[in-house]
Amino acid sequence: MVERRLSVATHWGSYVAVVDSGRLVRIEPSGDDLVPSPIGPGMVTAADDGARVLRPAVRRGWLEGLPRARDAARGSDMFVEVSWDEALTLVSEELSRVRAEHGDSAVFGGSYGWASAGAFHNPQNQLQRFLALGGGYTDSRNTYSTAALEVILPHVIGGAPWSYQSRMPMWDEIAENCELVVAFGGLALKNSQINPGGLARHQTEGLQRKCREAGVRFVNVSPIRSDTAGFLDAEWLPVIPNTDTALMLGIAHTMLVNDWHDQDFLDRCCVGFDRFASYLTGKPDGVVKDADWAAGITGISRDAITDLARRLATQRSLIMVNYAIQRADHGEQPIWMSVVLAAMTGSMGRPGCGWGAGYATMDATGVAPGRPSVASVPRVPNPVTDFIPVARIADTLLHQGRTIDYDGRRLTLPELRLIYWCGGNPFHHHQDLHRLTRAWQAPDTVVVHEAWWNTTAKFADIVLPVATSLERDDFAAGFSDPHLTAMPKVREPAGEARTDHHIFAALAARLGYEQEFTQSRSEFEWVRHLYDQTRTGLGDDAALPAFEDFWRDSTAQLPTLRGPFPGSFEALRADPQASPLTTPSGKIEIFSEEIDSFGYDDCAGHPAWFEPVECLHAEASDRFPLHLISNQPASRLHSQYDNGGHSLSSKIHGREPVTINPQDAAARGIESGMIVRVHNDRGSCLAGAILSDDVMPGVIQLSTGAWWDPAQPGQSGTLDHHGNPNTLTADRPCSRLSQGPSAHSALVDVEPYDGPVPEVLAFTPPPLER
């Protein structure tokens, strides 16, 4: 046996693939990653499993005739395998027909998702370049992960939506300077397995340990105890889900009335504190937002709130907010309020202290402030100006022509006749999958590029098989990660699969713009070109090796970026006139005149408490008394490689595990290892029970990403056999400001499942004929 060892880069780390005679034998962690993710080795079992899409396939009902719009068979129909020539003809002709009859905006290319690592073979970049050159497309705005944060922060602290990443303290600064970290939403290490674009080595765990060894104390404000690592010895404040804003208001009021707040910073570096203070003391509405008020809402005692306020004001402190708390009703409020609370503490703008967001949500945030720019596929301006907020895709399909509010604008939802999805999974990310099922019947045509027969492929009309990241040449450059990692092809594509670029180049040839799309380069020439562009752009100081040396050695080191970065809070504190923010006032906007002018009834001019539509205080809790937390999984990235070995090993009786507090389980006759039915008025799913007091009473935790497996595909309301929580979550916007998702505002109940146990068919292809 002659083994070859090849570099592999993924969103969850870098590995070495061992290949024998073209056959992938195993995937091993790279030697310099001290805490490698176990997701990587599990990729081997998925490479050739029965769910691979091996040939182009067309849904039989779509193939047999028109009209195709509102065909209720989408999702339940069988597929006919066709030749590549026929498939490309069908796609190119349908694109031309829709553009000619309905205009370019009728094509939706807002294909959302994590795609796959790689500077060149990013599927969404390839798709959007292809569609823009062909006349344009309707795009989507923001992300499911952080939509509320992305919209609110530019109003409050200025800068681009993601600029806060370079403006908040890094872990090494925290270890050196901070005494107290209060983490709203926790710091779950499982989330730090990942980094968009690729990851050379995992560093977050080691950096967190360094903070603890330096004496930093941690407070975990979360319904889930394990949202902080055990080695942090964190104090746990089990807050009722969706009440973080009320807790912060109670802390802020306590600081205000005890004169513990930093009035100097608030006067010099912020605007609107007087109006916010009036709200805290109840002058506009008669409700004093004190510790007693907050205790009644949050489940955290008055004494604990008062003590936390005192510690925040008297110690060098850092307020952290995780992304989960803004994926909820009025999700903008805890983000805005966390900035205000940090400004009050006296620590804002001091080294290693103040405010930050998203720590441990990926192994990049807090690890490094950024990296130099890495070349990517050139973007082409989109001739179509229409867009939709990313989480409003079902609304758009169901209610074309309706107007909605978004960040001070009025948007008209466009008529979408053709959906082209590439590198994402809407039947993972979107909420209320039964509603999405109804909406998904609306367009004439759905075209999908997929490597596996997941739910999105099964709900398509034309499925084009694509190569995985193991089956093409590329190089990886992670977010803020100062490394480049070579990604040579490990194996040939399965079946008749082709790369996304190859498919789009063939379509562009049929539509008359192949040269513009490919620029007459082969795929490997593109990879070399992007690397060389990066090397040239960095100049002599970067000292990147020549491409041949990089490809042989597998890695290259980028230079480290040094601050201060635009919008620095330290610079603001030192001299707000010399270093203003890019907000209208140049300061932190505790009160935003701009947001106030929008006149939204669900987002005022300052952070405020709004009762969530679904929470444990709501009337609906009489029928559905458990709050569902659908957080990120430990065994995969979103839904990627749910069919991989590591994810499969986490299942219980082949279903996604759901964690239940023993008190709630005992009251329902549930024992560990049982199959249970989780349900509400939107739907129901089966899951495998785990009992743990790491989850507070009244809360259950069911991670996202199990491939949806409805009992009757295409029929809304049917039982999901596999445990996808978006069967249960509400497709309801955070507010009129961001239109973001509110997945974490969902009430459910759970019971033992006593019916015949159905087979899980999530990884089984649909019926195929040739």
Side-chain angles (χ1 to χ4, degrees):
M1 182 173 72
V2 179
E3 289 187 345
R4 297 174 62 224
R5 301 175 66 83
L6 299 168
S7 170
V8 171
T10 72
H11 293 310
W12 43 90
S14 295
Y15 302 88
V16 175
V18 179
V19 179
D20 176 37
S21 302
R23 183 177 65 89
L24 177 62
V25 177
R26 63 185 180 275
I27 291 177
E28 303 172 347
S30 62
D32 56 355
D33 193 345
L34 298 180
V35 282
S37 168
I39 298 173
M43 296 166 66
V44 177
T45 58
D48 290 304
D49 72 6
R52 280 300 298 260
V53 182
L54 299 176
R55 284 169 288 277
V58 184
R59 187 170 64 83
R60 184 170 64 178
W62 188 93
L63 194 60
E64 288 178 347
L66 295 171
R68 291 165 175 161
R70 306 196 179 278
D71 183 348
R74 190 173 286 139
S76 60
D77 212 348
M78 71 179 303
F79 282 79
V80 179
E81 293 184 330
V82 300
S83 68
W84 268 108
D85 184 68
E86 183 176 358
L88 294 170
T89 297
L90 291 172
V91 174
S92 59
E93 289 182 350
E94 183 66 356
L95 272 168
S96 297
R97 181 192 70 82
V98 168
R99 290 188 189 278
E101 294 181 8
H102 304 285
D104 295 317
S105 64
V107 176
F108 183 67
S111 180
Y112 175 82
W114 271 62
S116 56
F120 174 64
H121 284 292
N122 180 288
Q124 288 136 348
N125 287 355
Q126 295 281 346
L127 169 67
Q128 291 167 5
R129 176 178 171 82
F130 165 73
L131 292 179
L133 285 168
Y137 60 98
T138 293
D139 200 357
S140 63
R141 184 77 54 90
N142 304 128
T143 68
Y144 280 89
S145 295
T146 56
L149 177 149
E150 291 173 63
V151 174
I152 192 67
L153 281 183
H155 289 285
V156 178
I157 62 173
W162 287 83
S163 66
Y164 68 90
Q165 293 270 348
S166 62
R167 301 158 65 184
M168 62 193 213
M170 299 294 108
W171 282 113
D172 54 357
E173 298 172 309
I174 298 168
E176 184 176 351
N177 298 285
C178 190
E179 296 176 300
L180 175 67
V181 169
V182 180
F184 289 89
L187 287 165
L189 270 178
K190 64 180 175 61
N191 298 336
S192 69
Q193 296 180 89
I194 60 174
N195 184 345
L199 179 61
R201 63 185 64 90
H202 293 84
Q203 301 181 70
T204 296
E205 179 177 333
L207 290 166
Q208 285 192 9
R209 289 183 181 275
K210 181 180 177 182
C211 289
R212 186 66 193 92
E213 290 164 1
V216 181
R217 303 299 304 182
F218 288 81
V219 178
N220 174 27
V221 184
S222 169
I224 302 175
R225 188 203 315 263
S226 55
D227 271 348
T228 51
F231 62 76
L232 290 178
D233 300 319
E235 175 186 349
W236 184 31
L237 295 182
V239 66
I240 291 174
N242 291 188
T243 66
D244 302 84
T245 301
L247 177 58
M248 294 182 207
L249 288 167
I251 295 170
H253 181 274
T254 303
M255 295 173 68
L256 176 67
V257 298
N258 286 285
D259 198 25
W260 292 344
H261 58 296
D262 184 354
Q263 190 66 54
D264 174 69
F265 183 82
L266 295 168
D267 288 341
R268 292 189 308 109
C269 303
C270 306
V271 294
F273 181 71
D274 54 342
R275 298 184 68 165
F276 175 70
S278 177
Y279 171 75
L280 281 179
T281 56
K283 291 180 182 178
D285 57 7
V287 178
V288 179
K289 317 306 183 298
D290 60 12
D292 285 320
W293 169 85
I297 294 172
T298 65
I300 306 299
S301 71
R302 177 189 184 279
D303 288 346
I305 293 171
T306 302
D307 179 63
L308 189 55
R310 177 188 55 78
R311 285 189 284 163
L312 281 168
T314 58
Q315 298 181 41
R316 298 189 302 274
S317 60
L318 173 63
I319 302 288
M320 293 181 172
V321 283
N322 216 331
Y323 296 156
I325 65 172
Q326 53 89 63
R327 292 194 294 270
D329 285 336
H330 313 291
E332 301 86 359
Q333 302 308 311
I335 301 299
W336 197 351
M337 185 58 218
S338 68
V339 176
V340 175
L341 186 59
M344 293 179 68
T345 63
S347 293
M348 192 73 160
R350 301 191 188 279
C353 302
W355 175 89
Y359 289 96
T361 54
M362 50 188 172
D363 199 279
T365 308
V367 174
R371 59 158 170 75
S373 177
V374 173
S376 60
V377 177
R379 296 190 67 87
V380 176
N382 184 5
V384 173
T385 58
D386 289 341
F387 70 90
I388 63 171
V390 67
R392 301 275 64 80
I393 178 62
D395 284 347
T396 303
L397 294 172
L398 290 169
H399 305 296
Q400 62 188 35
R402 176 179 290 183
T403 58
I404 63 170
D405 290 298
Y406 171 75
D407 198 15
R409 304 172 60 171
R410 292 288 290 172
L411 303 179
T412 299
L413 300 178
E415 178 185 21
L416 303 180
R417 304 301 290 260
L418 187 149
I419 294 176
Y420 207 132
W421 211 280
C422 177
N425 185 354
F427 283 86
H428 156 69
H429 278 99
H430 201 69
Q431 282 64 62
D432 193 346
L433 293 179
H434 293 302
R435 185 171 189 259
L436 182 63
T437 294
R438 297 191 295 274
W440 214 247
Q441 312 303 330
D444 295 0
T445 303
V446 178
V447 181
V448 167
H449 291 195
E450 255 304 337
W452 289 278
W453 281 107
N454 60 18
T455 315
T456 299
K458 292 174 182 177
F459 272 79
D461 298 310
I462 303 175
V463 181
L464 304 180
V466 291
T468 71
S469 59
L470 298 174
E471 300 167 345
R472 60 199 187 200
D473 293 310
D474 210 335
F475 69 92
F479 181 77
S480 291
D481 192 324
H483 302 89
L484 300 181
T485 306
M487 300 172 64
K489 181 193 293 186
V490 168
R491 47 166 282 167
E492 291 301 315
E496 297 178 15
R498 300 177 178 179
T499 67
D500 297 292
H501 179 82
H502 187 288
I503 296 168
F504 289 131
L507 288 170
R510 290 168 182 261
L511 295 168
Y513 53 93
E514 179 184 18
Q515 200 282 328
E516 293 94 326
F517 179 76
T518 67
Q519 295 187 3
S520 300
R521 294 189 183 95
S522 69
E523 293 183 10
F524 194 76
E525 286 171 342
W526 266 110
V527 173
R528 178 191 291 268
H529 172 70
L530 295 181
Y531 179 87
D532 288 342
Q533 268 197 324
T534 302
R535 186 171 183 245
T536 301
L538 292 172
D540 294 336
D541 293 339
L544 282 182
F547 178 79
E548 291 77 8
D549 297 328
F550 163 67
W551 202 249
R552 181 193 65 236
D553 297 337
S554 301
T555 61
Q557 179 81 36
L558 296 170
T560 301
L561 294 183
R562 302 292 182 188
F565 296 94
S568 163
F569 299 122
E570 291 187 38
L572 179 72
R573 172 178 278 278
D575 191 337
Q577 281 71 44
S579 303
L581 305 181
T582 57
T583 58
S585 64
K587 301 180 179 182
I588 295 171
E589 304 238 336
I590 295 175
F591 185 91
S592 168
E593 296 284 357
E594 185 173 40
I595 292 178
D596 189 57
S597 72
F598 298 159
Y600 296 155
D601 58 1
D602 54 7
C603 188
H606 57 72
W609 168 247
F610 294 90
E611 184 82 22
V613 176
E614 292 186 45
C615 70
L616 294 179
H617 301 296
E619 184 177 334
S621 65
D622 293 340
R623 296 178 55 224
F624 301 109
L626 300 175
H627 197 116
L628 171 65
I629 299 296
S630 52
N631 59 0
Q632 294 303 315
S635 59
R636 58 187 171 264
L637 167 58
H638 293 298
S639 65
Q640 289 190 24
Y641 284 96
D642 189 32
N643 59 334
H646 186 55
S647 184
L648 292 175
S649 71
S650 72
K651 309 285 185 180
I652 297 177
H653 303 297
R655 280 151 249 276
E656 193 67 16
V658 57
T659 305
I660 309 169
N661 184 277
Q663 295 179 35
D664 296 320
R668 292 161 173 80
I670 295 171
E671 298 178 0
S672 186
M674 274 187 174
I675 296 177
V676 296
R677 175 178 171 264
V678 189
H679 63 98
N680 59 20
D681 286 338
R682 286 180 288 271
S684 60
C685 67
L686 302 183
I690 293 177
L691 307 190
S692 173
D693 60 8
D694 272 0
V695 174
M696 65 182 285
V699 171
I700 68 168
Q701 178 265 318
L702 177 63
S703 291
T704 63
W707 290 5
W708 195 41
D709 187 25
Q712 296 174 286
Q715 180 175 318
S716 180
T718 189
L719 174 69
D720 167 42
H721 295 164
H722 196 204
N724 188 313
N726 281 328
T727 308
L728 308 157
T729 55
D731 187 10
R732 180 175 55 237
C734 288
S735 79
R736 293 159 67 191
L737 182 76
S738 73
Q739 294 287 342
S742 54
H744 289 302
S745 296
L747 294 175
V748 300
D749 205 353
V750 61
E751 62 188 10
Y753 182 72
D754 56 7
V757 178
E759 182 183 2
V760 174
L761 300 175
F763 309 120
T764 301
L768 296 167
E769 66 178 30
R770 299 196 74 172

